[in-house]
Amino acid sequence: MIDSERATKAYLVGGGIAALAAAAFLIRDGDIPGENIHILEQLPLAGGSLDGRGSPEAAYVTRGGRMLEDEAYTCLWNLLETIPTLHDPEVSVRQEIVDFNRAWPTDAKARLIDRDHRIIDAARLGLDTHDRLELTRLLVMPESVIGARRIDELFSAHFFTTNFWAMWRTTFAFQNWHSAIELKRYLLRFLQEFPRIHTLAGVRRTRLNQYDSIVRPLTAWLVEHGVRFEHGVTVTDIDFTEHDGIRRARRLHLDRGGRHGEVELAELDLAFITLGSMTADASYGDDRTAPEVVRDKRDGSWTLWETLARKAPDFGRPAVFNGSIPEAAWESFTLTMRSPALLKRIEEFSGNAPGTGALMTFKDSPWLMSIVVPRPPHFDGQPDDVFTLWGYGLFIDAPGDYTAKPMADCTGREVLTELLGQLGFEDLTDDILATTTVTTAMMPYITSQFARRDVHDRPRVIPHGARNFALLGQYVEIPEDVVFTVEYSVRGAMHAVYQLLGLDLPVPPVHHALAEPATVLRALRTAFA
């Protein structure tokens, strides 16, 4: 058991949500003084993949938007219940999210749109008897039997043409070649979403983008408690010792702007190490340029994991996740609009006010393009006469219907032209192009956590024998839980802190939808409708 007296210092490698959550738990539940906690981050801002930045004069951008959910996100809610909002210290971030979604509930009326610009009856999932049998088989098949098989190895061709698959894959960003184990975990974890997948009524969104609504309040709380943020610091290596099966992290090797440094860990010190990053090496394009596909691992999060993996076989196999950019990459885009014309036409077309429709997917789009219209303002300080829209494409190498170019090769203006064509709003093209700035974001590893894997490819949060270090992020193994969620990172952080400190506190259990007969019955009725 680790002593939590003032002598204990904690070093958190990376400043993403996993590290921020771990720091909060160290203070809130472990009584570690904030001034003894050091967050070492390569980038100039904390928050990792939960980003949101820009200005109305230039452009706004978010690489992605996290859709939260009441039943499954127990650890995240546990954290945010104790973090005050920036605008009112009496209101928690969790309560702000509850209030916002109560005022603006999601109810997508145009979840799927076909090639003729018609809204599809998405309540009809399109599953046949064989599809249902294949889904059932996957749900009952042990992960040890599934192994490293792809999704398309367990389903026949018809399944991939259904409305269900079009909605499920674009809600959670699955590709046919992704891990069948991860699809199974998602089906079990989000079975309650089955009856409402066509409206996304179970989605919970933040009032602003996740950086402004979650990261900034959490960071402010940590700073108020004395946590030391060090930016521009890359951890390049970590030395470990092992004696009688007990392993300890002993030294962090740092790069501060080209200058080497070291941190020696004392007997009571702790290290929390974030492995990999889904948004590492993201690149950006604008109205007139396409984003670059970065292939040489410029971000230190992957190179650190590769270095550590060579030290011990149970530190995981990063090459499984970062070894195939074509299987992991997709591209997102953010529109900054200085006219409400496009949003008004979308509202008329879809029947949804901004912020109530969640995803709209163009099912027959060669890019499999989806868009979200957030309720303004989506950025702190966003003027009343500036509006935003976010979207992404899963298939970035296929020629578009209206550009005849792969999405990866398109400028922002060409992406916008493709979007207007998919909507059937070509008559607005000149006006929208004249009043809109487009920022594109290419992310080479964005779905890498869905890569086909076996049991040894992801390390445990607390490796065997570890006494003073833990591994965090989307690439550790948390049984039964689902990657590509904020919940996964926060749950891993909670496990890490509670176990290293020896805290006798419960971690909220993973939500099991199959344990709820009413949920199962509703899902069955939907599947057989």
Side-chain angles (χ1 to χ4, degrees), residues 12 51 56 80 150 158 195 219 249 257 262 320 345 362 383 432 529:
L12 296 104
D51 64 342
L80 298 184
R150 302 159 44 126
H158 180 267
T219 301
E262 294 180 357
V320 170
R345 182 69 72 85
F362 304 98
I432 299 303

Side-chain angles (χ1 to χ4, degrees), residues 251-262:
R251 184 179 300 105
L252 308 181
H253 295 267
L254 314 179
D255 183 316
R256 290 189 172 98
R259 293 179 291 110
H260 179 74
E262 294 180 357

Side-chain angles (χ1 to χ4, degrees), residues 24-60:
F25 295 138
L26 285 167
I27 295 169
R28 189 192 74 179
D29 302 325
D31 294 326
I32 301 294
E35 58 267 26
N36 286 6
I37 299 172
H38 301 255
I39 295 178
L40 309 174
E41 170 56 52
Q42 177 180 348
L43 300 176
L45 290 175
S49 300
L50 298 184
D51 64 342
R53 58 184 174 85
S55 69
E57 295 78 21
Y60 291 110

Side-chain angles (χ1 to χ4, degrees), residues 165-309:
W165 182 239
M167 292 186 286
W168 196 268
R169 74 179 312 179
T170 52
T171 299
F172 300 115
F174 277 108
Q175 301 280 22
N176 294 7
W177 54 80
H178 281 154
S179 165
I181 286 177
E182 300 303 337
L183 177 59
K184 173 183 175 173
R185 289 192 181 189
Y186 263 79
L187 290 168
L188 291 173
R189 197 84 151 84
F190 294 109
L191 193 65
Q192 63 276 8
E193 298 305 320
F194 229 82
R196 55 200 189 197
I197 191 67
H198 63 295
T199 65
L200 293 172
V203 167
R204 301 294 178 259
R205 292 194 175 276
T206 52
R207 183 177 66 87
L208 302 172
N209 63 83
Q210 283 81 53
Y211 179 76
D212 284 330
S213 281
I214 294 177
V215 175
R216 287 181 59 215
L218 179 53
T219 301
W221 187 88
L222 294 173
V223 170
E224 182 181 349
H225 283 78
V227 173
R228 303 172 190 271
F229 284 81
E230 297 184 48
H231 293 282
V233 178
T234 301
V235 177
T236 59
D237 198 359
I238 301 174
D239 296 335
F240 299 89
T241 60
E242 182 171 355
H243 182 69
D244 292 335
I246 295 176
R247 290 190 283 183
R248 292 184 176 275
R250 284 302 189 192
R251 184 179 300 105
L252 308 181
H253 295 267
L254 314 179
D255 183 316
R256 290 189 172 98
R259 293 179 291 110
H260 179 74
E262 294 180 357
V263 173
E264 299 288 340
L265 300 181
E267 190 69 19
L268 295 177
D269 291 346
L270 309 174
F272 298 84
I273 308 153
T274 300
L275 301 178
S277 168
M278 71 176 90
T279 51
D281 298 327
S283 62
Y284 300 91
D286 56 28
D287 284 340
R288 302 192 180 281
T289 62
E292 175 191 7
V293 181
V294 177
R295 301 180 184 276
D296 53 355
K297 296 192 185 74
R298 301 171 189 175
D299 187 295
S301 57
W302 285 110
T303 53
L304 174 62
W305 188 11
E306 290 170 342
T307 298
L308 298 185

Side-chain angles (χ1 to χ4, degrees), residues 188-515:
L188 291 173
R189 197 84 151 84
F190 294 109
L191 193 65
Q192 63 276 8
E193 298 305 320
F194 229 82
R196 55 200 189 197
I197 191 67
H198 63 295
T199 65
L200 293 172
V203 167
R204 301 294 178 259
R205 292 194 175 276
T206 52
R207 183 177 66 87
L208 302 172
N209 63 83
Q210 283 81 53
Y211 179 76
D212 284 330
S213 281
I214 294 177
V215 175
R216 287 181 59 215
L218 179 53
T219 301
W221 187 88
L222 294 173
V223 170
E224 182 181 349
H225 283 78
V227 173
R228 303 172 190 271
F229 284 81
E230 297 184 48
H231 293 282
V233 178
T234 301
V235 177
T236 59
D237 198 359
I238 301 174
D239 296 335
F240 299 89
T241 60
E242 182 171 355
H243 182 69
D244 292 335
I246 295 176
R247 290 190 283 183
R248 292 184 176 275
R250 284 302 189 192
R251 184 179 300 105
L252 308 181
H253 295 267
L254 314 179
D255 183 316
R256 290 189 172 98
R259 293 179 291 110
H260 179 74
E262 294 180 357
V263 173
E264 299 288 340
L265 300 181
E267 190 69 19
L268 295 177
D269 291 346
L270 309 174
F272 298 84
I273 308 153
T274 300
L275 301 178
S277 168
M278 71 176 90
T279 51
D281 298 327
S283 62
Y284 300 91
D286 56 28
D287 284 340
R288 302 192 180 281
T289 62
E292 175 191 7
V293 181
V294 177
R295 301 180 184 276
D296 53 355
K297 296 192 185 74
R298 301 171 189 175
D299 187 295
S301 57
W302 285 110
T303 53
L304 174 62
W305 188 11
E306 290 170 342
T307 298
L308 298 185
R310 290 191 287 269
K311 297 177 182 287
D314 64 338
F315 281 177
R317 298 168 180 165
V320 170
F321 304 98
N322 65 21
S324 180
I325 289 174
E327 291 191 353
W330 48 254
E331 182 178 343
S332 70
F333 56 93
T334 306
L335 308 187
T336 303
M337 299 169 284
R338 297 165 188 89
S339 163
L342 178 56
L343 296 194
K344 286 183 177 179
R345 182 69 72 85
I346 290 175
E347 185 175 347
E348 293 169 1
F349 171 75
S350 67
N352 278 116
T356 63
L359 283 177
M360 297 168 59
T361 293
F362 304 98
K363 186 183 178 186
D364 300 317
S365 161
W367 299 351
L368 195 56
M369 179 187 280
S370 298
I371 60 172
V372 175
V373 180
R375 180 160 187 80
H378 192 52
F379 296 83
D380 190 30
Q382 179 180 330
D384 293 341
D385 59 351
V386 176
F387 311 90
T388 62
L389 178 151
W390 179 86
Y392 81 104
L394 271 181
F395 304 149
I396 61 175
D397 296 320
D401 286 327
Y402 301 89
T403 60
K405 293 174 63 175
M407 187 180 190
D409 296 337
C410 284
T411 66
R413 291 174 70 86
E414 289 168 333
V415 170
L416 180 52
T417 299
E418 183 74 20
L419 170 61
L420 294 173
Q422 293 296 335
L423 284 164
F425 297 171
E426 291 99 328
D427 60 305
L428 295 178
T429 299
D430 290 343
D431 289 342
I432 299 303
L433 287 175
T435 57
T436 302
T437 302
V438 184
T439 305
T440 54
M442 178 67 71
M443 294 167 283
Y445 308 111
I446 188 62
T447 58
S448 57
Q449 58 270 58
F450 287 153
R452 303 179 302 282
R453 60 179 176 80
D454 68 26
V455 69
H456 302 294
D457 293 335
R458 296 199 303 218
R460 295 172 48 161
V461 174
I462 307 289
H464 288 292
R467 289 294 184 271
N468 74 331
F469 70 94
L471 308 177
L472 302 178
Q474 292 288 310
Y475 301 92
V476 297
E477 175 57 23
I478 304 175
E480 302 178 334
D481 208 352
V482 291
V483 291
F484 209 29
T485 63
V486 184
E487 174 72 8
Y488 199 84
S489 293
V490 176
R491 179 176 294 277
M494 186 177 278
H495 274 293
V497 170
Y498 289 8
Q499 289 183 53
L500 286 186
L501 293 182
L503 300 178
D504 186 20
L505 294 172
V507 175
V510 172
H511 175 72
H512 291 287
L514 284 181

Side-chain angles (χ1 to χ4, degrees), residues 54-227:
S55 69
E57 295 78 21
Y60 291 110
V61 61
T62 56
R63 288 174 293 191
R66 302 291 169 255
M67 294 185 290
L68 313 177
E69 204 253 12
D70 280 342
E71 291 91 342
Y73 284 60
T74 52
C75 293
L76 177 64
W77 301 143
N78 177 285
L79 170 65
L80 298 184
E81 283 169 357
T82 54
I83 303 301
T85 58
L86 294 178
H87 61 85
D88 188 345
E90 300 301 317
V91 177
S92 71
V93 173
R94 168 60 172 149
Q95 188 59 51
E96 180 184 69
I97 294 172
V98 170
D99 293 342
F100 178 77
N101 285 274
R102 185 178 294 125
W104 303 102
T106 300
D107 182 19
K109 295 180 172 63
R111 180 65 185 87
L112 295 177
I113 300 162
D114 70 11
R115 69 178 73 254
D116 298 315
H117 321 302
R118 296 176 303 195
I119 298 172
I120 298 171
D121 181 7
R124 301 177 65 86
L125 301 186
L127 298 169
D128 63 18
T129 299
H130 193 61
D131 299 327
R132 298 181 191 108
L133 287 173
E134 289 174 332
L135 279 167
T136 302
R137 179 184 63 176
L138 177 63
L139 290 175
V140 301
M141 189 180 294
E143 291 186 3
S144 59
V145 175
I146 298 172
R149 280 191 277 186
R150 302 159 44 126
I151 293 170
D152 56 13
E153 292 181 77
L154 294 176
F155 290 90
S156 52
H158 180 267
F159 174 78
F160 298 106
T161 68
T162 62
N163 289 342
F164 170 78
W165 182 239
M167 292 186 286
W168 196 268
R169 74 179 312 179
T170 52
T171 299
F172 300 115
F174 277 108
Q175 301 280 22
N176 294 7
W177 54 80
H178 281 154
S179 165
I181 286 177
E182 300 303 337
L183 177 59
K184 173 183 175 173
R185 289 192 181 189
Y186 263 79
L187 290 168
L188 291 173
R189 197 84 151 84
F190 294 109
L191 193 65
Q192 63 276 8
E193 298 305 320
F194 229 82
R196 55 200 189 197
I197 191 67
H198 63 295
T199 65
L200 293 172
V203 167
R204 301 294 178 259
R205 292 194 175 276
T206 52
R207 183 177 66 87
L208 302 172
N209 63 83
Q210 283 81 53
Y211 179 76
D212 284 330
S213 281
I214 294 177
V215 175
R216 287 181 59 215
L218 179 53
T219 301
W221 187 88
L222 294 173
V223 170
E224 182 181 349
H225 283 78
V227 173

